[in-house]
Amino acid sequence: HMVAYFFEYAKYADRVKNGCGHGYEYLFAGEAAYCREQMDEAAAMFNSAMLKAQRTAQHDIILNALWNLGRIELYYGNHKTALALLGEIENYVNERSLAGMYELRDCAIAYFYLQLGDADRVPAWFTEAPAGPETTPISFARKQLTSAHCLHMKGQAARAYAVLLQLEGQLQGKGR
């Protein structure tokens, strides 16, 4: 029912928000399908999210859709295709100099390489200082969770735990 609500809401929000958030309903529907392991439906939704988001240059939605398409490839063990999608994410951000998306790009790099068991390819700031680039986060706590995962994979469980404890304090402080 929640997916249907998002599509209904989007009909009105698209008119009011002047392009802001175009495609988020498809992104949400794709994530729901991914969680149900309905990968064909998820891929279709993520591709639809990108198409709609491209009309109004909704970079975060485009990048999240690419990330999720890569997650599907990792799910199927298609590592080469997943890394090609990661390359698309990196190129998209770098070619457009999207400073506001550097954090998302770095989180994607970290996610893909951590999934592939290569913590050494994760951007250094995840283990040096989990704060990372100061940008508006696409998803609250993504960088902290990625840092904790990376530190754990590198055998630094105590530091990973410390990052998670900080996150707990932030969540409690925000009433979440």
Side-chain angles (χ1 to χ4, degrees):
H1 298 294
M2 199 64 177
V3 172
Y5 167 78
F6 267 87
F7 278 96
E8 184 65 27
Y9 173 78
K11 290 180 200 174
Y12 305 102
D14 285 352
R15 283 186 251 154
V16 175
K17 294 169 53 179
N18 196 29
C20 182
H22 270 176
Y24 72 90
E25 69 275 28
Y26 291 101
L27 198 60
F28 180 84
E31 185 70 25
Y34 181 90
C35 290
R36 293 189 312 270
E37 295 187 22
Q38 295 174 339
M39 299 305 169
D40 290 340
E41 179 184 343
M45 291 295 112
F46 295 136
N47 281 307
S48 293
M50 279 197 305
L51 288 173
K52 188 172 180 183
Q54 287 169 346
R55 290 186 229 146
T56 55
Q58 297 301 294
H59 306 302
D60 58 335
I61 293 171
I62 294 166
L63 293 167
N64 275 289
L66 286 168
W67 179 330
N68 281 295
L69 288 168
R71 287 175 61 207
I72 291 170
E73 296 302 330
L74 288 172
Y75 174 89
Y76 285 121
N78 300 329
H79 299 165
K80 202 173 195 178
T81 306
L83 289 174
L85 287 161
L86 175 59
E88 284 187 50
I89 292 169
E90 291 179 275
N91 290 337
Y92 188 94
V93 172
N94 296 340
E95 289 171 2
R96 291 166 178 80
S97 300
L98 298 172
M101 298 292 120
Y102 289 166
E103 182 181 297
L104 177 58
R105 177 205 57 205
D106 287 358
C107 284
I109 292 168
Y111 175 85
F112 281 80
Y113 285 116
L114 289 171
Q115 294 303 309
L116 296 172
D118 191 355
D120 293 331
R121 305 264 323 247
V122 171
W125 68 263
F126 282 104
T127 54
E128 293 169 359
E134 289 304 318
T135 63
T136 304
I138 302 304
S139 174
F140 181 77
R142 180 182 286 169
K143 65 184 175 181
Q144 292 91 339
L145 292 171
T146 304
S147 291
H149 187 185
C150 183
L151 289 164
H152 178 72
M153 281 192 68
K154 288 187 169 205
Q156 299 177 30
R159 287 186 63 208
Y161 183 66
V163 169
L164 294 174
L165 283 177
Q166 288 177 336
L167 182 58
E168 180 182 38
Q170 289 174 0
L171 288 170
Q172 289 174 345
K174 293 186 184 267
R176 294 181 186 192

